[in-house]
Structure formats: C-alpha cells, structure tokens
Amino acid sequence: MIKKDSKILCIVYPLVAALTIIFAISGCQSPAKPPEEIVIVEQPEDIMGKAQSQLTELLGFIGDSGGKLNDSTLIANVPVIESIYEGGGFQPLWSDAKEWHPSGDSLFNMISQAKLYGLFPSDYHLPALLSIRNQVVIDTIAKKNVALWTRADILLTDAFLKLATHLKYGQLERDSISLRPDSAFSPEKLASLLQEVISGSNPRNILESLEPVHQPYRAIRAALPAFLDSLDFRNYQVIPYPNEDSLEHIRNVALRLQEEGLLDKGWTIDDADSYVRAVKKYQQSMGIPATGFAAELTVKSLNFTDSEKFRTIAINLHRYRQLPDSMPETYIIVNLPAYQLRVYDYDTVVLESRVIVGAAKTPTPVLNSQITNVITYPQWTVPYSIIFKEMLPKIQKDIGYLAKQNLMVVDKYDSVISPETIDWTKLNRRNFPYLLRQRQGDDNSLGVMKFNFRNKYSVYLHDTNARGLFSRNARALSHGCVRVQEWEKLSHFLVRDDEIRYHPDTIKAWISRQEKHIISDFSHIPIYIRYFTCEAGEKGLRFFSDIYGIDKILSEKHFKSKPVN
C-alpha cells in the first residue's frame, strides 16, 4: 500500500509542479487577497500591535497588486513607501490608530485646499480620506477599526510624496526646452522629506518650501485664494465648434446664454431677435465685436468657464515648476500668448515691449537660446517655405511682384539675376536654384534691426516695416519670427556696458545713414520663448488666448476627467 501511494505521489508532485510553472508563466496566478476592511480592537494596549500587522499585510497586498489599494485607488512610489514603513517598524506615521497626529491634520487640510496650489484634491485621495475621517469622527465603532486608520495612513503617505513631486517638478511631461537638469526626486530624497515630518516638522512648511521662487509664480499663487472665492465650478453647456448643424449650434449657444442669464428660459428657436440681442450683449460685455453671430471667438469665450480657468491656472503653475530653481541675473523672456517681451535684470523688469508672434499656421517655437548679435539694416533672405507657399504663385502670375516687394533674385554664387531672364513657369518646389532676398531699407520686412540667436528653427527677433500692426490686440500674425516694437530700447540695453563704442547716438546715426553694422561683442543674454496663458497683475489674474491650442491639448490629456469642485 505504501509503494502504491509512493507511485501516485511520484506522478502527482511533478504534475502539480508543472502546472504551477505553467500558471506562473501564463500569468494566471491567483490574485492577492485584500486585507480585512473591518478590524475592531477594543483594548487600547492591543491597538499598535494590530496596526503593525495591518500595515504589513496591507503593504504586501499593494505590492503584489501592482500598487492597487482597490479598484479605484492606485498608490504611487510603492517601493519608497514600503521602505519607509519597514524602517519605522511598520508604525503609523500620521496617527496612533485612534487619534490623528497634528501632522496628519495639517496634511489633510493641505490636501483639502490643494486648489490653492493649482492642484486637484482628487489626485491626493481626498474623497477616500474624507470618507475615513468622517467615519472615525462620527462613528465610535469605526474609530476602533484599525483597518480604517492604517488605510488612511498609507493614503496620507502617498499623498505627501505626490504633493512633494508635483510642487517641485509639476505634472506636465518634460520636453526639450525644460531647463531643470533634474526631473524627479530620488527615492532617498523622498524618504528624507518624509523623515523630516516624522521628526516633527510641519508637512505644509516642508511642501511649500519646494515651490518655485520665481516672482510670476508667486504672484499667481498670491492672487489665487481671492480668485477661487469668486469662481463658480458648476458644469456648463459645452459648445462644439465648428458645427455643421447650424440649428444645433444655435440651440447650444442659446442654452449657454440661458446659463449666463442673458436669454429667457422660455426662449424658442423661432425667436431669432432675442437670440441675436443676447449674443450681442454677451459680446459687448467681453469686448468682442458685437455681430450677433456666435463664431469662433465668441464660442471660445463661452466655453472658457470657471472650471476651464482653473485648469489654465494649473497648467501655467506647472510650467513654472519646470523652470530651474533660479534664473540668470539678466535674461529676456518672450511670452507668446501675451504678445509680450520682457527684459529682467536682477529680478526687476527693466524693459517691456509689445511683440508680434507666429500665426497659428506658422507658430513661433518655444525655445532657449542667447542673443549673439545685432544687425542694423539687415537683408532678409526669404525662407523656402514662404517662397513656395506664398510668393512663387504670385511671381508666376505677375513678375512685377518682385519689384513691389523689393525682392531680388540671387543664384548659388550670390550673384544677382535679372528676373526677366528666368522662365518662372518651370520653377517649383523641386526645381528652384535661387534665393530671394529683400533689399535692406525701410521697406524690408525685418525693418531696420535684427537680433540673432542660435536655434534650429531659423527664427529671430526683429523690427518690422508694418509697425501699425502693434496696435492690434491679437498679434499672432508672423511666419514664426518675433517682431519687437521697442527694438531700439532693446538694442541699447544689450550694449549698455560699452557706451564708448555703442553710444545710443552712434546707433541712431547708423540707422539714419542706413548703414549695415553687425554688433556681437557684448555679453550674450539668455532668451527664453515661452507659452504662459495666465499671469497676475495689480487687478488680479489675467488670462491670454490659447493661440496655438496647447492648453486645450494639455487640459484634455491631464485634467479633463478630474473634478474641480
């Protein structure tokens, strides 16, 4: 009988082992069993021991389940959290499993006020934490449930680490122009930040110390509390645009106007006059031409609800968090949506200018560089993209276009070619052995001064021969370069340390004589072209148009599904 059983065992054990290997390989292992959600402890002396075992079991489950606490909650930085609790003997960090520590209260309050930092409370487990806190405060039985306290402890720890990361580095993806040499905390740094809390430091103080010190960031943060008090985070009608169904478009706009109190609730589609009056009234209130027709500009404004404004604030604060901890002593920054250039010297704005930037079809790139030289009376070599898209069809239609635009044709040897000797009908994108250059002078598209900086996009700062365009509010009009209204002041600032050779009167004399000069022997000042759609001023927060639709993309990717209210 023993021999027979031995034979069976010799067959069964290899089979079981084989099946175990197969199931492991195929990923069909049984899921980890979640810890009990109700663990009542009556005796005070038993609480800490039970909390230790609960934390050990819960962390093991989270590690085995890929960071999932449950179907709706994901814990980040699991290895860091495991090491922190292991190093502390699996003791609770934010409570004693029957009362909150002051640090736990402080952190919870900061999470509940996350919007003050341009953050979304739901990212830091606020709904789950709020539910647990309400239970242990109101229900005496729940207060004895160690499972609730330990879950809250891990949620708070994860929230602290996420807050630290987001306040220091932001939540947006890094890109090629992000200036920070570092892009994430090391596990050791995260652990050390949490250790400061365990040692008695206030978590809010630690977290706020990680925020940027840049003045524009601080100004937005300072203006945010009052701004949030004025916001209405209700869900409003979103107006799709463009909409081929004109009647549906009118109904959507009408509903949105009803939400604004500008159109009677009993309005019907037959009442066109009331609709037009309501549209005009809204347009007048927003400084939009009062046409009575809800086109793109009006729809964008109607869709820019308070919830969207908060998402815009969040995006811009994260952009500032991508900057280094300190900027150079002197630098130039061009803010594309604001159509503005500023020169900072020792954290003070010493020069400000309106600018014209790239149109939506030819956007100005975001970049970092340094101003390397200044050219008076520059000559413009027309980019091929402009030649083929705009100029060549006009030249083929009328060769006189070249003279009207002050353009000359040169070959690869830089020799000027008479346009009449060229068969323009045979030229195209694949066959164009020439360059088009605009003669220097007041008619030159670059104006009388050009500021060069190295970049792969062939863009630069320059004056313009169409200076009247600076009076427009919307100035996304160029092919990608940045036209500067205060070009003369900018040139004087760049050479301010060498007034013997580059006295303002000297530069003025060159310009009056229409002389070409290249100035390069000055301190090369960094230039940053950026995309900020929100800033704080004396009258509070101000928003700029999302001229390239970048905010819309980021909002839909990162924040659209997150509740604001």
Side-chain angles (χ1 to χ4, degrees):
M1 187 69 182
I2 294 174
K3 290 183 179 179
K4 185 177 179 181
D5 289 343
S6 299
K7 274 189 175 181
I8 293 171
L9 291 174
C10 288
I11 295 171
V12 171
Y13 281 164
L15 180 60
V16 170
L19 287 172
T20 302
I21 293 170
I22 291 170
F23 275 96
I25 293 172
S26 63
C28 294
Q29 293 168 305
S30 298
K33 182 182 177 182
E36 296 293 332
E37 295 188 7
I38 301 176
V39 180
I40 305 298
V41 179
E42 295 287 353
Q43 301 303 319
E45 62 270 18
D46 297 334
I47 290 176
M48 292 310 293
K50 200 62 180 176
Q52 285 178 303
S53 62
Q54 278 294 112
L55 280 169
T56 304
E57 189 177 351
L58 189 56
L59 286 167
F61 168 75
I62 293 171
D64 291 341
S65 61
K68 286 186 177 181
L69 179 61
N70 52 47
D71 290 340
S72 61
T73 306
L74 185 68
I75 303 297
N77 303 301
V78 174
V80 176
I81 293 175
E82 287 177 338
S83 67
I84 289 169
Y85 278 99
E86 184 178 0
F90 294 98
Q91 295 286 329
L93 303 181
W94 308 97
S95 72
D96 57 12
K98 62 181 186 297
E99 296 290 345
W100 300 108
H101 295 323
S103 59
D105 285 327
S106 176
L107 180 57
F108 176 80
N109 290 335
M110 187 172 180
I111 292 168
S112 64
Q113 298 169 358
K115 289 200 289 289
L116 294 174
Y117 304 85
L119 303 173
F120 292 79
S122 59
D123 282 341
Y124 313 100
H125 312 303
L126 180 62
L129 286 167
L130 186 59
S131 174
I132 292 173
R133 286 178 72 91
N134 286 340
Q135 289 182 66
V136 299
V137 168
I138 297 171
D139 189 341
T140 55
I141 299 299
K143 190 171 185 177
K144 299 176 182 180
N145 186 357
V146 173
L148 279 179
W149 289 99
T150 53
R151 283 174 182 270
D153 214 79
I154 290 175
L155 290 172
L156 284 169
T157 301
D158 186 56
F160 177 87
L161 299 179
K162 289 171 74 175
L163 278 167
T165 301
H166 294 166
L167 288 173
K168 181 69 173 179
Y169 299 108
Q171 286 179 270
L172 307 180
E173 296 92 344
R174 317 307 296 179
D175 53 41
S176 60
I177 59 91
S178 296
L179 297 175
R180 299 192 69 95
D182 50 350
S183 60
F185 280 124
S186 66
E188 293 76 16
K189 179 60 178 177
L190 284 173
S192 71
L193 289 171
L194 194 53
Q195 185 58 48
E196 290 185 53
V197 177
I198 297 171
S199 300
S201 297
N202 187 306
R204 184 186 290 268
N205 294 340
I206 294 171
L207 292 169
E208 288 184 347
S209 72
L210 302 173
E211 291 187 272
V213 297
H214 311 304
Q215 187 276 331
Y217 175 92
R218 292 293 183 182
I220 294 175
R221 280 272 285 106
L224 197 46
F227 185 77
L228 287 171
D229 287 342
S230 69
L231 297 188
D232 178 1
F233 288 128
R234 288 180 296 173
N235 291 323
Y236 288 97
Q237 171 69 32
V238 177
I239 305 170
Y241 191 88
N243 190 340
E244 294 181 359
D245 188 334
S246 59
L247 289 180
E248 183 182 63
H249 175 69
I250 290 172
R251 290 190 184 96
N252 289 335
V253 173
L255 179 57
R256 185 69 187 86
L257 292 171
Q258 288 172 334
E259 292 171 339
E260 290 290 322
L262 299 174
L263 190 61
D264 188 78
K265 293 291 184 181
W267 175 85
T268 63
I269 194 72
D270 299 324
D271 189 0
D273 291 341
S274 296
Y275 171 82
V276 170
R277 284 196 299 270
V279 172
K280 284 184 176 180
K281 188 173 182 179
Y282 177 80
Q283 290 170 331
Q284 289 168 347
S285 69
M286 303 304 294
I288 301 170
T291 62
F293 180 72
E296 182 178 9
L297 194 60
T298 302
V299 171
K300 279 185 176 180
S301 179
L302 286 167
N303 282 338
F304 195 51
T305 61
D306 285 351
S307 294
E308 288 303 314
K309 289 176 183 176
F310 179 75
R311 292 185 180 99
T312 297
I313 292 168
I315 288 168
N316 283 275
L317 289 176
H318 285 313
R319 285 181 175 132
Y320 279 109
R321 291 167 185 142
Q322 289 187 329
L323 294 175
D325 292 331
S326 61
M327 296 290 282
E329 291 179 351
T330 305
Y331 63 94
I332 299 168
I333 187 163
V334 176
N335 185 7
L336 300 175
Y339 308 120
Q340 182 183 73
L341 176 148
R342 283 176 174 164
V343 179
Y344 282 86
D345 195 28
Y346 292 95
D347 209 28
T348 301
V349 178
V350 295
L351 193 157
E352 194 166 344
S353 175
R354 290 188 168 203
V355 297
I356 294 168
V357 304
K361 292 183 179 179
T362 53
T364 301
V366 174
L367 56 81
N368 314 320
S369 191
Q370 287 186 329
I371 301 288
T372 55
N373 63 61
V374 179
I375 303 176
T376 60
Y377 272 87
Q379 195 175 64
W380 182 40
T381 300
V382 184
Y384 284 117
S385 59
I386 298 176
I387 291 175
F388 299 134
K389 288 181 181 178
E390 300 180 21
M391 292 185 170
L392 186 55
K394 296 177 181 178
I395 298 169
Q396 291 171 332
K397 186 176 180 180
D398 178 13
I399 198 174
Y401 173 84
L402 289 165
K404 291 176 184 178
Q405 298 296 318
N406 196 24
L407 293 168
M408 58 183 176
V409 184
V410 297
D411 61 15
K412 64 180 180 180
Y413 302 107
D414 212 27
S415 300
V416 178
I417 307 298
S418 173
E420 290 78 9
T421 63
I422 299 172
D423 186 352
W424 291 93
T425 61
K426 293 183 178 179
L427 299 182
N428 53 49
R429 188 181 295 273
R430 294 179 296 278
N431 176 35
F432 197 88
Y434 306 106
L435 294 173
L436 297 186
R437 287 196 179 135
Q438 197 170 51
R439 292 177 177 85
Q440 61 194 52
D442 292 334
D443 292 334
N444 190 293
S445 295
L446 303 185
V448 298
M449 189 166 287
K450 175 185 177 187
F451 305 82
N452 285 317
F453 47 88
R454 296 185 183 90
N455 66 92
K456 62 182 180 181
Y457 307 100
S458 299
V459 297
Y460 36 82
L461 309 181
H462 65 89
D463 175 29
T464 177
N465 60 351
R467 298 184 180 109
L469 296 178
F470 286 112
S471 63
R472 295 188 183 183
N473 290 326
R475 297 191 295 276
L477 305 167
S478 80
H479 291 95
C481 290
V482 178
R483 307 174 194 173
V484 182
Q485 185 176 35
E486 301 294 346
W487 54 271
E488 189 173 12
K489 290 181 181 179
L490 180 58
S491 67
H492 294 329
F493 180 82
L494 293 174
V495 298
R496 67 197 183 284
D497 294 329
D498 194 354
E499 285 200 357
I500 295 177
R501 284 186 298 170
Y502 303 121
H503 192 276
D505 291 341
T506 302
I507 296 175
K508 286 181 180 179
W510 291 346
I511 292 171
S512 65
R513 295 195 297 264
Q514 299 190 8
E515 294 178 1
K516 180 177 180 178
H517 291 268
I518 300 176
I519 307 171
S520 58
D521 49 350
F522 58 84
S523 178
H524 294 176
I525 295 180
I527 178 171
Y528 307 115
I529 300 181
R530 287 293 183 271
Y531 196 90
F532 292 111
T533 50
C534 174
E535 73 174 14
E538 294 180 357
K539 297 182 179 180
L541 292 178
R542 179 185 177 194
F543 297 90
F544 306 113
S545 178
D546 184 18
I547 55 177
Y548 299 153
I550 297 175
D551 280 12
K552 181 180 179 182
I553 294 171
L554 292 174
S555 178
E556 290 179 350
K557 182 174 183 179
H558 294 283
F559 307 127
K560 205 67 178 180
S561 62
K562 296 179 181 178
V564 178
N565 52 2

